[in-house]
Amino acid sequence: MALRIGVVGCGRIGKLHINNLINSVPGVEVVAAADPMLDKSGAREWLADRKITNVSTDFQDVVNNPDVDAVFVCSSTDTHCDIALAAVQAGKHVFCEKPIDYDVAKIKNLLAAVAEKGVKFQVGFNRRFDHNHKAVADAVKSGAIGDPHIVIVSSRDPEPPPASYVAVSGGIFYDMMIHDFDMVRYVTGSEAVEISAVGSCLVNPNLQEESGIPDVDTAVVTMKMANGCIAVINNSRQAVYGYDQRVEAFGSKGMATDGNDLVNNTTVITVDGARSEKPLWFFLERYNQAFIEQVKCFVDSVVNDKPVVVGAVDGLRPVLMAQAATESCRNGGVYVKVAE
Amino acid sequence: MALRIGVVGCGRIGKLHINNLINSVPGVEVVAAADPMLDKSGAREWLADRKITNVSTDFQDVVNNPDVDAVFVCSSTDTHCDIALAAVQAGKHVFCEKPIDYDVAKIKNLLAAVAEKGVKFQVGFNRRFDHNHKAVADAVKSGAIGDPHIVIVSSRDPEPPPASYVAVSGGIFYDMMIHDFDMVRYVTGSEAVEISAVGSCLVNPNLQEESGIPDVDTAVVTMKMANGCIAVINNSRQAVYGYDQRVEAFGSKGMATDGNDLVNNTTVITVDGARSEKPLWFFLERYNQAFIEQVKCFVDSVVNDKPVVVGAVDGLRPVLMAQAATESCRNGGVYVKVAE
Amino acid sequence: MALRIGVVGCGRIGKLHINNLINSVPGVEVVAAADPMLDKSGAREWLADRKITNVSTDFQDVVNNPDVDAVFVCSSTDTHCDIALAAVQAGKHVFCEKPIDYDVAKIKNLLAAVAEKGVKFQVGFNRRFDHNHKAVADAVKSGAIGDPHIVIVSSRDPEPPPASYVAVSGGIFYDMMIHDFDMVRYVTGSEAVEISAVGSCLVNPNLQEESGIPDVDTAVVTMKMANGCIAVINNSRQAVYGYDQRVEAFGSKGMATDGNDLVNNTTVITVDGARSEKPLWFFLERYNQAFIEQVKCFVDSVVNDKPVVVGAVDGLRPVLMAQAATESCRNGGVYVKVAE
Amino acid sequence: MALRIGVVGCGRIGKLHINNLINSVPGVEVVAAADPMLDKSGAREWLADRKITNVSTDFQDVVNNPDVDAVFVCSSTDTHCDIALAAVQAGKHVFCEKPIDYDVAKIKNLLAAVAEKGVKFQVGFNRRFDHNHKAVADAVKSGAIGDPHIVIVSSRDPEPPPASYVAVSGGIFYDMMIHDFDMVRYVTGSEAVEISAVGSCLVNPNLQEESGIPDVDTAVVTMKMANGCIAVINNSRQAVYGYDQRVEAFGSKGMATDGNDLVNNTTVITVDGARSEKPLWFFLERYNQAFIEQVKCFVDSVVNDKPVVVGAVDGLRPVLMAQAATESCRNGGVYVKVAE
């Protein structure tokens, strides 16, 4: 019997998940959906086109629906934790978009509820399911590169968000680097102990005035990991050539490194040199398949009662890292211990 | 209003098209399907799961269905031409899997019918829609490499078909190289004038005994094109490392060349050297998106009354080339003129 | 004690060898040199700068010099065979630039003399010593790719020679493809049985009028090798992007393929795409180290009495292949048997 | 007339320069040499083989030789500054191996002398002349990548030096990263303002005990540059796969990045994946040509009275950076201002 899924939040990411659930994930059925803007946004019609008619403007209708086995939390970031908690308390399995929350106490509270209820809880760190990054992490796990000594995550967006978005984003370390903190944990298989962050406003020198927060758009973070490995993340809000997402793991027995997926693998060479393609434009292109793979993995965890691959604690740790990085960056790059 | 499509033939390729039409091609609806093995093969149930209930074991029911705007011919190769002709005569637009037929007279007859009826007719040479090959062809068309002088198509399957399949395949030039003949025409923008073919049974030395036909499994074909360009195709029935599909166009101003899409872009380097991934395994993986793109293009031709990109004559020419290559190969590689 | 070398011919290639012998080849001494243009060309002074003062306008003075252990034949092509023969008959070891001659009878006569005198004789097929091509050949030899099925040699010069040079060159198959014929033998480890050649004047449509010989500037040759492998060579007199020299060996267990050495390994990526470098310009750049390696190998053969790696018969076979290719090309691409 | 060169120090690096001066640098003559171990080391004989007979155990004999135009300082590191100063004061042009010294006061004293005497003074930061790194720096200079935002230098040796060497090396920041500090200045075109360093003993956990100094073998340094760019260097004393030397410059208009030069460009692909080569083993292989290019550049500066490309101040700055990094690393990674 199919796993019956209810989706809360039918914006861009909710629709992405719904389409993937319908088209690309076997063994599931989307049976209910909720979105406060159901009618204003046209979501009701969009859902009806996909035969999803059990819809509501109130997430409680999904969370409490006895026909729902698992809830996808795809609502606005500030509501993730509350909705997820409600779903967990209703005994539902939960797939929750990242970040769970920026409030550590709330996340810990949620963790406790997950443990108590014994449901499956997965956080949407989809990049772990990217074919390239996964192969780097697998190389580390397999021992192919020995003990990891230096890990470098390069992660750059193709275009900066508007300052109005930045104003409510929590800053680059919470909003953007959160994925890379998770990547460092994933690839090193270890936890960050201390973090130093340095940043500048190089993409938009007026970012702080325009956003009203002391944020940066270019940042480099260095971490000492519990296993001795040193990890470095570099972020830019604007790589004009496209989404630049690369991971390098250097260790005692070798190195694993990945490249971007390109628009195509064709090269044209003339007297002016060789011209080849740019990376895929942004996350919808690059992580398209990863979005699907993570959900397949979640479904597998629920249906076959396996441990989730990216659990609630994996939602907590990157927030603690973002916290430390933010503090370091605002204090001249001093090393800041990552809270437990 | 959606373009209403009827599918004839619900085997592997028919199912592929139906799934793509449902999930990935906007503006279409699959309204009918036919397959002689509807019940024995489980196709009826498979179609019902996709809400396709107007089904029949007789292709005439699709071809003559007044609610069908366009017919997809996905039946066994020997029936392509008759079904396509029936559909054309019924005034339907047709998307026909390759090859149309091996009988030149029958194809010409079909061409005449298409012209008379003024319907859209597209042949399933999906590789023209591959992102890599298309970029090579575009480089030639744009003049970026000047006049093409030498074109090399390397096309190798990951594993050989059984001898029983080869026995009824028409041989490597009709069955496998037919795609590459189309690629040469596509990339050079010119027609083959003369063809020389040489081949051997290197993958399976007993191929001829086992298949009962004088076929080969490794072949190299050289062509003089009308525009002066020399084209070379090399085929092998077995590249153990996966589907090897590459095109190189060398010209007066430069070269365009593509590579395979790989399983991932990760490299692991140790004292033993650098290890990276193999090509995607076979055509379903490599040309997955190309299958979709070609259908989108067909739909666009029909809906917006544009010329088809791969027309009926594009189905004819490769057959004439396969004919010449087969003759050359059986006569010691002599140059054979390609019939008009 | 150092191997004492006399050099006949002090043009571009002779000077190249002399500089390499002095700077890069341990255990040798250049003790004598001859060149008919010794004074007119400034060679006498050039040699004196390198402390080579035993010089003559007559090659016999080198060949008969009792202080000379080995003779390097670097004179004009038409004199190679006579000078080499004289040196062999004088009991000298010989390193002879390619081609030995175009007259098969003369080469065979030389082979007999080499055998009779028991001296070392190496032909200057330097590409066998290129790090890239050698790694391809080694992969075949080691069994890493299994039995070779298809070998493709792409070999394109950056700019065409003047028609006046072509007029006396013997044509593209003798002058340019001779290296590639050797490469096919080297990589496949087998001999060509039959050859088909097709060519056009695409770089210079007036080549035949201007040169006065029925030559071509773009050619593709297909060969059936004794071991069943099919080999293809493609040549162009002009690759505007630089010297394009690549070898691909496809076999039952895999493929070995090489790339060009580039001016540098740097890539610049912008909104316009990724730009990387062209191949090294021509043979002096690409095969610089190979010129040295082949001579080290020759010296090793002489000093340690090992078999030469590229012997006199290796000078003969490519000439027989060029002969067959020339005949095929002038007769519409028919397959021509390669003479013994 | 040739530039007359005297070489002080005939160990490995002195011999390297002498061979290059003789074989690969036009317009120079090595007229004198000095080495305290002239006879014990066999250097006298080695020099005589190269016709260098004006030799001495006392560097003063070279420095004060009126036939010497320029002095190459290739002696042990602790003597660089004194010998260079003596040569400058004697009015000689100087090419000085890196580092000039670790004592900032002594370097500044030397700088003053160079300025006073008006001689040419070049420091041996050869990596600026590497074809790959130079192309990255040129891309920045040309504006191709816009303003540099993030620069990443990865620099890893193939094998660690013995602990006894480390004991007198000054530590990884002076001994190894000094080159990378120069690279950051070269590529960014800017000066480091603040530096944070973190390091561990991951290659040899007993390094500090064995060497007797508080050194590390794995280090990551982050810098804020005067132009706003953030630069990161990562060093390891042991990359088992060979010398890993890469530079990436990311900016407002794009990115320039280079790769290692490999042993060869051949790939072998089998069912096990694609195998390609490792980087060239160490600096003699990778920077072979760079050693020559820097000397050609020095000779050009002297002969044609052009500014040197890597002057005395370029010898000072990396020492100040190493100083700051060492301090930061020993104090938990705090940001340390780089002294003027």
Side-chain angles (χ1 to χ4, degrees):
Chain A
M1 207 192 87
L3 185 73
R4 298 166 303 174
I5 289 171
V7 177
V8 177
C10 302
R12 185 173 62 169
I13 195 74
K15 285 175 177 166
L16 178 74
H17 281 302
I18 290 170
N19 274 335
N20 286 342
L21 287 164
I22 293 172
N23 297 334
S24 307
V25 181
V28 300
E29 197 176 356
V30 181
V31 297
D35 191 293
M37 308 288 282
L38 202 52
D39 291 295
K40 287 187 200 152
S41 69
R44 185 186 296 273
E45 192 176 18
W46 188 92
L47 291 161
D49 284 348
R50 282 153 186 80
K51 329 278 185 213
I52 304 168
T53 51
N54 186 341
V55 297
S56 167
T57 55
D58 185 351
F59 77 85
Q60 296 284 5
D61 290 337
V62 169
V63 160
N64 296 316
N65 185 333
D67 290 336
V68 165
D69 301 315
V71 173
F72 274 55
V73 180
C74 308
S75 53
S76 64
T77 294
D78 56 316
T79 67
H80 285 175
C81 200
D82 291 341
I83 296 172
L85 185 62
V88 167
Q89 285 171 336
K92 310 299 188 192
H93 304 292
V94 173
F95 179 94
C96 183
E97 266 308 313
K98 66 95 218 171
I100 299 178
D101 204 293
Y102 298 146
D103 182 328
V104 171
K106 288 182 68 176
I107 306 176
K108 288 186 172 176
N109 189 33
L110 177 63
L111 256 77
V114 169
E116 188 196 325
K117 288 289 179 175
V119 296
K120 303 294 179 188
F121 187 96
Q122 185 170 328
V123 185
F125 283 126
N126 55 295
R127 295 185 194 177
R128 292 192 180 207
F129 300 85
D130 173 67
H131 57 161
N132 300 331
H133 302 330
K134 185 172 189 308
V136 172
D138 287 349
V140 176
K141 258 179 234 155
S142 73
I145 68 150
D147 298 324
H149 289 180
I150 300 172
V151 165
I152 302 173
V153 176
S154 295
S155 172
R156 303 160 189 164
D157 282 355
E159 49 187 4
S164 58
Y165 172 91
V166 171
V168 298
S169 70
I172 195 168
F173 301 109
Y174 284 96
D175 175 63
M176 183 175 169
M177 202 179 279
I178 197 95
H179 271 294
D180 307 306
F181 288 131
D182 181 63
M183 187 58 59
V184 164
R185 295 179 64 244
Y186 174 52
V187 169
T188 62
S190 185
E191 296 295 347
V193 175
E194 275 192 321
I195 287 184
S196 164
V198 56
S200 299
C201 295
L202 299 176
V203 173
N204 177 7
N206 302 319
L207 178 67
Q208 301 195 346
E209 294 71 33
E210 291 179 14
S211 70
I213 66 166
D215 199 18
V216 295
D217 53 32
T218 306
V220 171
V221 167
T222 306
M223 279 154 276
K224 300 176 191 162
M225 309 303 290
N227 65 357
C229 180
I230 304 171
V232 182
I233 298 170
N234 69 85
N235 269 187
S236 170
R237 287 285 196 183
Q238 183 172 41
V240 295
Y241 51 84
Y243 202 41
D244 193 356
Q245 298 281 304
R246 288 170 290 133
V247 176
E248 175 176 324
F250 169 80
S252 56
K253 292 186 179 167
M255 175 172 66
T257 182
D258 65 16
N260 291 302
D261 289 339
L262 305 182
V263 171
N264 62 57
N265 290 329
T266 297
T267 298
V268 176
I269 178 165
T270 67
V271 288
D272 296 326
R275 175 74 74 184
S276 54
E277 266 295 350
K278 293 183 287 186
L280 295 176
W281 177 245
F282 211 169
F283 68 95
L284 289 180
E285 292 84 11
R286 167 62 184 268
Y287 293 126
N288 177 41
Q289 191 61 30
F291 276 105
I292 294 168
E293 295 301 327
Q294 71 175 343
V295 171
K296 285 185 179 172
C297 191
F298 171 71
V299 171
D300 183 49
S301 298
V302 172
V303 171
N304 300 307
D305 193 19
K306 296 179 182 171
V308 292
V309 168
V310 201
V313 73
D314 298 305
L316 173 62
R317 289 280 180 186
V319 173
L320 296 171
M321 294 164 83
Q323 205 174 54
T326 303
E327 184 184 336
S328 173
C329 190
R330 293 181 187 175
N331 288 283
V334 295
Y335 264 84
V336 173
K337 287 214 181 300
V338 181
E340 287 296 313
Chain B
M1 208 190 87
L3 186 72
R4 297 165 304 175
I5 290 172
V7 177
V8 176
C10 301
R12 183 172 63 168
I13 194 73
K15 285 176 177 165
L16 177 74
H17 281 301
I18 289 170
N19 273 337
N20 285 342
L21 286 163
I22 292 172
N23 297 334
S24 308
V25 181
V28 300
E29 197 177 354
V30 181
V31 297
D35 191 294
M37 309 288 282
L38 203 50
D39 291 294
K40 289 188 200 153
S41 69
R44 186 186 297 273
E45 193 177 16
W46 188 92
L47 290 161
D49 283 348
R50 284 154 186 78
K51 331 276 185 213
I52 304 168
T53 50
N54 185 342
V55 298
S56 167
T57 55
D58 185 351
F59 78 84
Q60 295 285 4
D61 290 336
V62 169
V63 160
N64 296 315
N65 185 333
D67 290 337
V68 165
D69 301 315
V71 173
F72 273 55
V73 181
C74 307
S75 52
S76 64
T77 294
D78 58 316
T79 67
H80 284 175
C81 200
D82 291 340
I83 295 172
L85 185 63
V88 168
Q89 284 170 338
K92 309 300 188 193
H93 304 292
V94 172
F95 179 93
C96 183
E97 266 308 316
K98 67 95 216 169
I100 300 179
D101 205 292
Y102 298 147
D103 182 328
V104 172
K106 287 181 69 176
I107 306 176
K108 287 187 174 176
N109 188 33
L110 177 64
L111 256 77
V114 169
E116 188 196 324
K117 287 289 181 178
V119 296
K120 303 295 179 188
F121 187 98
Q122 185 171 327
V123 184
F125 282 127
N126 56 296
R127 296 186 193 175
R128 292 192 180 208
F129 300 85
D130 173 69
H131 57 161
N132 300 331
H133 302 330
K134 186 172 186 309
V136 172
D138 287 349
V140 176
K141 259 180 232 153
S142 73
I145 68 149
D147 298 323
H149 288 180
I150 299 171
V151 164
I152 302 173
V153 175
S154 294
S155 172
R156 302 161 189 164
D157 283 354
E159 49 187 6
S164 58
Y165 172 90
V166 171
V168 298
S169 71
I172 196 169
F173 302 108
Y174 284 95
D175 174 64
M176 182 175 169
M177 202 180 280
I178 198 96
H179 271 295
D180 307 305
F181 288 131
D182 182 62
M183 187 57 62
V184 164
R185 295 179 65 242
Y186 175 51
V187 169
T188 63
S190 185
E191 297 294 347
V193 176
E194 275 191 321
I195 286 184
S196 165
V198 57
S200 299
C201 295
L202 299 175
V203 174
N204 177 6
N206 302 319
L207 179 67
Q208 301 195 347
E209 293 71 34
E210 291 179 13
S211 70
I213 67 166
D215 199 16
V216 295
D217 54 32
T218 306
V220 172
V221 167
T222 307
M223 280 155 275
K224 299 175 192 164
M225 308 303 289
N227 66 359
C229 181
I230 303 171
V232 181
I233 297 169
N234 68 85
N235 269 186
S236 170
R237 287 284 196 183
Q238 185 172 39
V240 295
Y241 51 84
Y243 202 40
D244 193 356
Q245 298 280 304
R246 289 172 290 132
V247 176
E248 175 176 325
F250 168 80
S252 56
K253 292 186 180 167
M255 175 172 66
T257 183
D258 64 18
N260 290 304
D261 290 339
L262 305 182
V263 170
N264 62 56
N265 290 328
T266 297
T267 298
V268 176
I269 178 166
T270 67
V271 287
D272 295 325
R275 175 74 72 184
S276 54
E277 265 295 349
K278 294 183 285 186
L280 295 176
W281 177 245
F282 210 170
F283 68 96
L284 289 180
E285 292 83 11
R286 166 63 183 268
Y287 293 126
N288 177 41
Q289 191 61 30
F291 276 104
I292 294 168
E293 295 301 327
Q294 70 174 345
V295 171
K296 284 185 180 172
C297 190
F298 171 70
V299 171
D300 182 49
S301 297
V302 172
V303 172
N304 299 307
D305 194 18
K306 296 178 182 173
V308 292
V309 167
V310 200
V313 73
D314 297 306
L316 173 61
R317 289 281 181 186
V319 173
L320 296 171
M321 294 164 83
Q323 203 173 55
T326 303
E327 185 184 336
S328 173
C329 191
R330 294 181 185 175
N331 289 281
V334 294
Y335 266 85
V336 172
K337 287 214 180 304
V338 180
E340 287 297 312
Chain C
M1 207 190 87
L3 185 74
R4 297 164 306 174
I5 289 171
V7 176
V8 176
C10 301
R12 184 173 62 170
I13 194 74
K15 286 174 175 165
L16 177 74
H17 281 302
I18 290 170
N19 274 335
N20 285 343
L21 287 164
I22 293 173
N23 297 334
S24 307
V25 181
V28 298
E29 196 176 354
V30 181
V31 298
D35 191 294
M37 309 288 282
L38 202 53
D39 292 295
K40 287 187 200 151
S41 69
R44 185 186 297 273
E45 193 177 16
W46 188 93
L47 291 162
D49 284 348
R50 282 154 187 80
K51 328 280 185 211
I52 304 168
T53 52
N54 186 340
V55 297
S56 167
T57 56
D58 185 351
F59 77 85
Q60 295 284 4
D61 290 338
V62 168
V63 160
N64 296 315
N65 186 332
D67 291 338
V68 164
D69 301 316
V71 173
F72 273 55
V73 180
C74 307
S75 52
S76 63
T77 293
D78 57 316
T79 67
H80 284 175
C81 200
D82 291 340
I83 295 172
L85 184 63
V88 167
Q89 285 170 336
K92 309 300 189 194
H93 304 291
V94 172
F95 179 94
C96 182
E97 267 308 316
K98 67 93 220 171
I100 301 178
D101 205 290
Y102 297 148
D103 182 329
V104 171
K106 287 182 68 175
I107 306 176
K108 288 186 172 176
N109 188 32
L110 177 64
L111 256 77
V114 169
E116 187 197 325
K117 289 289 181 176
V119 295
K120 304 295 181 190
F121 187 97
Q122 185 171 326
V123 185
F125 282 127
N126 55 295
R127 295 185 195 176
R128 292 192 181 207
F129 300 85
D130 174 68
H131 56 162
N132 300 332
H133 302 330
K134 185 172 187 309
V136 172
D138 286 350
V140 177
K141 259 179 231 154
S142 72
I145 69 149
D147 298 323
H149 289 180
I150 300 172
V151 165
I152 302 173
V153 176
S154 293
S155 172
R156 302 160 189 165
D157 284 355
E159 48 186 6
S164 59
Y165 172 90
V166 171
V168 298
S169 70
I172 194 169
F173 301 108
Y174 284 97
D175 175 63
M176 183 174 168
M177 202 179 279
I178 197 96
H179 272 294
D180 307 306
F181 287 131
D182 183 62
M183 186 57 61
V184 164
R185 295 178 64 244
Y186 174 52
V187 169
T188 62
S190 184
E191 298 293 347
V193 174
E194 274 192 320
I195 286 183
S196 165
V198 56
S200 299
C201 295
L202 298 176
V203 174
N204 177 6
N206 302 319
L207 178 67
Q208 301 196 344
E209 293 71 34
E210 291 178 14
S211 69
I213 66 166
D215 199 16
V216 296
D217 53 33
T218 306
V220 171
V221 167
T222 307
M223 279 155 278
K224 298 175 194 164
M225 309 302 290
N227 65 358
C229 181
I230 304 171
V232 181
I233 298 169
N234 69 84
N235 270 187
S236 170
R237 288 285 197 183
Q238 183 170 42
V240 296
Y241 51 84
Y243 202 42
D244 194 355
Q245 298 279 304
R246 289 171 289 134
V247 176
E248 175 176 323
F250 168 80
S252 57
K253 292 187 181 167
M255 175 173 66
T257 181
D258 64 17
N260 291 303
D261 290 339
L262 305 183
V263 170
N264 62 57
N265 290 329
T266 298
T267 298
V268 177
I269 178 164
T270 66
V271 287
D272 297 325
R275 175 74 74 184
S276 54
E277 266 294 349
K278 294 183 287 186
L280 295 175
W281 177 244
F282 211 169
F283 68 96
L284 290 180
E285 292 83 11
R286 166 65 184 266
Y287 293 127
N288 177 41
Q289 191 61 29
F291 275 105
I292 295 168
E293 296 301 327
Q294 71 174 346
V295 171
K296 285 185 179 171
C297 191
F298 171 70
V299 170
D300 183 47
S301 298
V302 172
V303 172
N304 300 308
D305 194 18
K306 296 178 181 170
V308 293
V309 167
V310 200
V313 73
D314 298 306
L316 173 62
R317 289 281 180 185
V319 172
L320 296 171
M321 293 164 83
Q323 205 175 54
T326 303
E327 186 185 333
S328 173
C329 191
R330 293 183 185 172
N331 289 283
V334 294
Y335 265 83
V336 172
K337 287 212 180 303
V338 180
E340 287 296 311
Chain D
M1 208 189 87
L3 185 73
R4 298 165 305 176
I5 289 171
V7 177
V8 176
C10 301
R12 185 174 63 170
I13 195 74
K15 285 175 177 167
L16 177 74
H17 281 302
I18 289 170
N19 274 336
N20 285 343
L21 287 164
I22 292 173
N23 297 334
S24 307
V25 180
V28 300
E29 197 176 355
V30 180
V31 298
D35 192 293
M37 309 288 282
L38 202 52
D39 291 295
K40 289 187 200 152
S41 69
R44 187 187 295 275
E45 193 177 16
W46 189 93
L47 291 161
D49 283 348
R50 283 153 186 80
K51 329 280 185 210
I52 304 168
T53 52
N54 186 340
V55 297
S56 167
T57 56
D58 184 351
F59 78 85
Q60 295 285 4
D61 291 336
V62 167
V63 160
N64 296 314
N65 184 332
D67 290 338
V68 165
D69 301 317
V71 173
F72 273 55
V73 181
C74 307
S75 52
S76 63
T77 293
D78 57 316
T79 66
H80 284 175
C81 200
D82 291 340
I83 295 172
L85 185 63
V88 167
Q89 285 169 336
K92 309 299 188 194
H93 304 291
V94 172
F95 179 94
C96 182
E97 266 308 315
K98 67 95 221 172
I100 300 179
D101 206 289
Y102 297 147
D103 182 328
V104 171
K106 286 182 70 176
I107 307 177
K108 287 187 171 174
N109 188 34
L110 176 64
L111 255 77
V114 169
E116 187 195 327
K117 288 289 180 176
V119 295
K120 303 296 180 189
F121 187 97
Q122 185 172 326
V123 185
F125 282 127
N126 55 297
R127 295 185 194 176
R128 292 191 180 208
F129 299 86
D130 174 68
H131 56 163
N132 299 334
H133 302 329
K134 186 173 187 307
V136 172
D138 287 350
V140 176
K141 260 179 229 153
S142 73
I145 69 148
D147 298 324
H149 289 180
I150 300 172
V151 165
I152 302 172
V153 176
S154 294
S155 172
R156 303 161 189 164
D157 283 355
E159 48 186 6
S164 58
Y165 172 91
V166 171
V168 297
S169 71
I172 195 170
F173 302 108
Y174 284 96
D175 175 63
M176 182 174 169
M177 203 181 279
I178 197 97
H179 271 295
D180 307 306
F181 288 132
D182 182 62
M183 186 58 61
V184 164
R185 296 179 64 243
Y186 174 51
V187 168
T188 63
S190 185
E191 297 294 347
V193 175
E194 275 192 321
I195 286 183
S196 165
V198 57
S200 300
C201 296
L202 299 175
V203 175
N204 177 6
N206 302 319
L207 179 67
Q208 301 195 347
E209 294 70 34
E210 292 179 13
S211 69
I213 66 167
D215 199 16
V216 295
D217 54 32
T218 306
V220 171
V221 167
T222 307
M223 280 155 276
K224 300 175 191 164
M225 309 302 290
N227 65 359
C229 181
I230 304 171
V232 181
I233 298 170
N234 69 84
N235 269 186
S236 170
R237 288 284 196 183
Q238 183 171 42
V240 296
Y241 51 84
Y243 201 41
D244 193 355
Q245 299 278 305
R246 289 170 291 132
V247 176
E248 176 176 323
F250 168 79
S252 56
K253 292 186 179 167
M255 175 172 65
T257 182
D258 64 18
N260 290 304
D261 291 339
L262 305 182
V263 171
N264 62 56
N265 290 327
T266 297
T267 298
V268 176
I269 178 166
T270 67
V271 286
D272 296 325
R275 175 74 74 183
S276 54
E277 266 295 350
K278 294 182 287 187
L280 294 176
W281 177 245
F282 211 170
F283 68 95
L284 290 179
E285 291 83 11
R286 166 63 184 268
Y287 292 126
N288 177 40
Q289 191 61 29
F291 276 105
I292 294 169
E293 295 301 327
Q294 70 174 346
V295 171
K296 284 184 178 172
C297 191
F298 170 69
V299 171
D300 183 48
S301 297
V302 172
V303 171
N304 299 308
D305 194 18
K306 296 178 182 171
V308 291
V309 167
V310 200
V313 73
D314 297 307
L316 173 61
R317 290 280 180 185
V319 173
L320 296 171
M321 294 164 83
Q323 206 174 54
T326 303
E327 185 184 335
S328 173
C329 191
R330 294 181 186 175
N331 289 282
V334 295
Y335 265 83
V336 173
K337 287 214 180 301
V338 180
E340 286 296 312

